[in-house]
Amino acid sequence: MTAVADEVRIDVPVSGTPKRGVLTRAVSRLGNGVVQVVLALVAVFWLVPVFGLLIASLRDESANTASGWWTVFTRPAELTLENYADLVANQAVWQSFLNTFYIAVPATVLVVVMASLASYALAWIEFPGRETLTVVVVGLLVMPIQVALIPVAKLFGALGLFGTITGVVLFHVAFGLPFAIFLLRNFFTGIPRDLIEAARMDGATEWVIFKRVILPVAKPAIASLTIFQFLWVWNDLLVALVFADQDSAPITVALRAQLRQFGTNIDMLSTGAFLSMIVPLGVFLVFQKYFVQGVLAGSTK
Amino acid sequence: MRLRPSVDAAPGRSPRQAIPFLLPALVVLAALVLYPLVFSLIRSFFDASGEKFVGLGNYVETFTDPRTLIAFRNNVIWVVVAPAAVTGIGLILAVLTERIRWATAFRLVLFMPMAISLFASGIIFRLVYEEAPNQGVVNAALVGVHDIFSPASQYPGARPRDGYAATEAGFTAIRPSRAGDTITVPLIGHPPQDVPPQALPASPPTAGAGELRGVLWLDVSIGGRAGAVDPTERGLPGVAVEAVRDGKVVARTTTGDDGRFTFPDLGAGDVTVRLPPENFALPFRGLTWLGPSFITPVIISSWIWIMTGFAITFIAAGLSAIPRDALEAARVDGATEWQVFKRVTVPLLSPVLLVVFVTLVINVLKIFELVFVIAPGSVQSEANVLALQMWQVSFGTGGDQGAGSALAVILFLLVAPAMLFNIRRFRRERS
């Protein structure tokens, strides 16, 4: 597992392909046609559920109770932005949408900063126990958050952090750090030794090397980490379910209360779910390369 | 996929300089990950109040509690079915995408579910599997296919007002009839607005020699006389009517637009008039996907939808690292594509497949949100998994943090092999 898996595919030109008969070629072309069709169907299969949610979010309550979203093809006039207007006007939901930002942004920034610092020490400063510490970090990669829910809830209760955005952020930082350190350390160790040696010869302090040499080179890895961590926190339900209260709840927790009457709440739930998806989908489409790399590197999380 | 070569720090640097770099991360990790791990372990030996030491009591309770046992069973189903399915599907699709030009677009589409929350994915699939065929697309498709092969009945739920007994074979007349009789069959339980447009006003038939005649109509009791043909009432066309003698159907006919039907050649002797059940069968409404019998497979299917893109992308990265020469050499030797796949591609990919598989197993053990969102409250106990049970016991209805801690420790022990797997792989890649 490389920290930053290169997505670049190198197609090696193949020499010496045996000459194939007309029949073989026809079969292979036909086979390719079948592959195209099958994969196209698979792709449609993957898109339909999301498309259904989108359409459901664009139809009002009575339309959703009366007929399925697919009837929109015969009745496109039913489409409306009303649900979104209602949801944004709903103070609690809108607040939870903002809370999601208030949680995800600091949790991402803190993880990136702390992990960069720690990774630099693990990669380039020799100290006793460095090996052990690195192995501990690798071990923590798959730690289930369940082991920390009860103790941290108690701890936050004692510190007055329970039910606050700060508490939710801190928990996310703690469980984001192992992967973040793992990813950045792997990248940092790959930076050419000469760069660091030269700076040390010039008498640069560790801080200056970190800031002037490492960080500029590590931008792609930091970008991957930032996007991965941001989406990870944005998409969380469990942590916030335990540590947030009504005023600090992110959108996933706020919407969960509506799940009880799913059939009659489709308009609101689909709209809320789609609202919560807009940010991740946008980030994904714009930064997909970095996100994919982050996920691949963090495969063990 | 290897780690970059390890490096040693320049000699002569003081270890103390590492402290400010490490401190923030170490403090957070120690306070919120390591200390809690130890705390949970200790806490799991105490009762709900946290004051009384109960030894392994919480663990014994956990392994005897029927709810937790269901959660265990489901986790086993998940681990056995889901990661293998996703790895297999991912492998096949990754190999197939090598043969199309739009591979990047394809992977983008399949990877997209990874970007959205499990909560949103849960809502997506709750909608997909919603039972009402006018809301859930799966049941809508099922009903559509079903109705092609066995069309829906014309008058679902309708029944004769009186004089007929409901049997397996349909509504059977209580009194026998014979040729020359006329009979009236008043039908109720069908909305007047759903009567077919070609229906004509009903009128009682006149008796005909050697023929059994009758009329079957929608008997509207409001504004009409019950059991009698009123001028405004219409016949029901297309209803199958059978004449039965000695348990055997001797004649069969269908009502006309005015609801009339005639059995011309019944011969002598009594017959019983019967209305077969297919006239009135209730429509097929699809399956109860979100009910207790299908809930776990349904949730697994949504997880497959989420994780397949990950498997494809990971395996595709591994595929691109396979030397083309190996594949070509096999092809030159006359191997078919299937043989190349089985004998060359899969063995060369096996380390990557193992990593994907282990990753998916870890993911499956921690599954929480999907079950939480997709399973309706009433079947949540049937779909239960350990991570959800841990939350329920500690923070939901349970409120027992001793038992909750025991579940957390069990969960930790279950992922511990994966932890060792990672550490060993990490060490090996470094050396």
Side-chain angles (χ1 to χ4, degrees), chain A residues 1-2 9 12 14 16 18 20 28 31-32 35-36 39-40 42-43 45-47 49-50 52-53 56 64-70 114 117-118 120-128 130-131 133-135 138-140 142-144 146-156 170 173-175 177-178 181-182 185-186 189-190 193 197 200 204 206-207 210 231 235 237-238 241-242 252 255-256 259 262-263 266 269 273 276-277 280-281 284 288 291-292 295-296 299-301, chain B residues 1-5 7-10 13-15 17-18 20-22 24-26 28-29 31-37 39-40 43 93 96-102 106-120 123-128 130 133-137 140 304-306 308 310 313-314 316-317 320 324 328 331-332 355 359 362 366 368-369 372-373 387 390-391 394-395 401 404-405 408-409 411-412 415 418-419 422-423 425-427 429-430:
Chain A
M1 175 167 43
T2 322
R9 297 266 319 281
V12 184
V14 180
R20 298 184 184 188
S28 115
N32 256 357
V35 169
Q36 304 262 3
L39 291 186
V42 171
F45 211 74
W46 247 252
L47 287 174
V50 182
L53 185 83
N64 272 321
T65 351
S67 61
W69 54 265
W70 52 91
M114 288 184 186
L117 289 168
Y120 175 70
L122 287 177
W124 290 104
I125 305 178
E126 182 142 320
F127 59 90
R130 186 170 74 154
E131 275 302 296
L133 200 56
T134 313
V135 166
V138 173
L140 291 184
V142 295
M143 183 72 96
Q146 277 79 7
V147 300
L149 293 180
I150 292 171
V152 174
K154 278 203 180 328
L155 188 69
F156 282 178
L170 278 178
V173 170
F175 276 81
L177 273 176
I181 296 174
F182 179 72
R185 193 212 74 101
N186 282 355
T189 53
R193 175 180 206 91
E197 288 303 313
R200 281 181 181 162
E206 298 296 342
W207 174 246
F210 172 71
L231 292 188
N235 287 334
L237 170 70
L238 179 54
L241 198 56
V242 173
T252 46
L255 287 176
R256 150 210 184 216
L259 279 174
F262 187 83
I266 289 176
L269 278 168
S276 84
M277 282 162 56
L281 281 181
F284 171 64
Q288 42 133 330
F291 177 62
V292 171
V295 171
L296 291 188
S299 61
T300 44
K301 187 157 174 171
Chain B
M1 274 188 244
R2 290 191 311 110
L3 285 175
R4 289 175 171 84
V7 282
D8 300 307
R13 284 277 166 169
S14 157
Q17 282 171 299
F21 286 91
L22 287 171
L26 286 191
V28 173
L29 282 178
L32 300 182
V33 183
L34 293 175
Y35 155 75
L37 176 63
F39 184 98
S40 283
R43 184 69 182 77
L93 291 179
L96 290 184
T97 50
E98 297 238 298
R99 296 170 66 175
I100 56 170
R101 281 164 197 272
W102 43 287
F106 179 82
R107 284 187 214 141
L108 187 70
V109 168
L110 269 78
F111 205 83
M112 178 266 304
M114 289 286 295
I116 63 178
S117 64
L118 292 164
F119 179 83
I123 290 183
I124 287 175
F125 277 88
R126 183 109 180 229
L127 181 58
V128 164
E130 188 65 14
N134 62 348
Q135 290 182 327
V137 71
I304 292 176
W305 180 80
I306 296 166
T308 297
F310 161 76
T313 312
F314 207 99
S320 65
R324 302 273 126 176
E328 274 314 311
R331 290 196 183 110
V332 170
V355 172
T359 306
I362 300 167
K366 299 179 184 173
F368 168 83
E369 283 95 336
F372 189 75
V373 176
M390 188 268 158
W391 180 82
S394 330
F395 302 97
Q401 303 202 329
S405 296
V409 172
L411 215 50
F412 171 77
V415 299
M419 210 171 250
N422 275 340
I423 291 173
R425 189 157 56 96
F426 176 74
R427 284 219 162 114
E429 280 169 352
R430 295 194 64 179

Side-chain angles (χ1 to χ4, degrees), chain B residues 69-289:
Chain B
L69 289 178
I70 292 179
F72 268 115
R73 182 203 67 190
N74 288 339
N75 267 93
V76 170
I77 295 176
W78 271 91
V79 169
V80 169
V81 175
V86 167
T87 311
I89 297 171
L91 174 63
I92 292 168
L93 291 179
V95 171
L96 290 184
T97 50
E98 297 238 298
R99 296 170 66 175
I100 56 170
R101 281 164 197 272
W102 43 287
T104 317
F106 179 82
R107 284 187 214 141
L108 187 70
V109 168
L110 269 78
F111 205 83
M112 178 266 304
M114 289 286 295
I116 63 178
S117 64
L118 292 164
F119 179 83
S121 301
I123 290 183
I124 287 175
F125 277 88
R126 183 109 180 229
L127 181 58
V128 164
Y129 285 110
E130 188 65 14
E131 186 173 353
N134 62 348
Q135 290 182 327
V137 71
V138 171
N139 268 350
L142 266 187
V143 168
V145 172
H146 176 274
D147 289 353
I148 291 173
F149 294 106
S150 74
S153 67
Q154 233 175 331
Y155 306 104
R159 60 191 185 280
R161 182 181 288 282
D162 46 29
Y164 287 78
T167 65
E168 290 265 310
F171 293 106
T172 310
I174 293 167
R175 279 201 308 266
S177 334
R178 55 171 57 234
D181 285 357
T182 60
I183 49 176
T184 53
V185 188
L187 225 63
I188 56 169
H190 188 74
Q193 65 269 23
D194 289 353
V195 171
Q198 76 268 23
L200 298 173
S203 60
T206 50
E211 291 186 346
L212 173 59
R213 294 179 181 177
V215 64
L216 185 148
W217 81 104
L218 182 65
D219 188 26
V220 187
S221 54
I222 300 167
R225 292 165 298 151
V229 182
D230 295 309
T232 52
E233 289 172 344
R234 287 166 296 170
L236 294 176
V239 178
V241 186
E242 292 170 345
V244 182
R245 180 180 288 147
D246 302 330
K248 269 194 271 183
V249 177
V250 291
R252 194 183 162 88
T253 183
T254 308
T255 56
D257 287 350
D258 56 357
R260 289 205 190 167
F261 58 93
T262 306
F263 292 107
D265 309 307
L266 282 178
D270 284 353
V271 292
T272 310
V273 172
R274 188 163 77 186
L275 308 172
E278 60 263 26
N279 289 317
F280 314 111
L282 291 173
F284 177 66
R285 303 268 297 160
L287 298 171
T288 311
W289 294 108

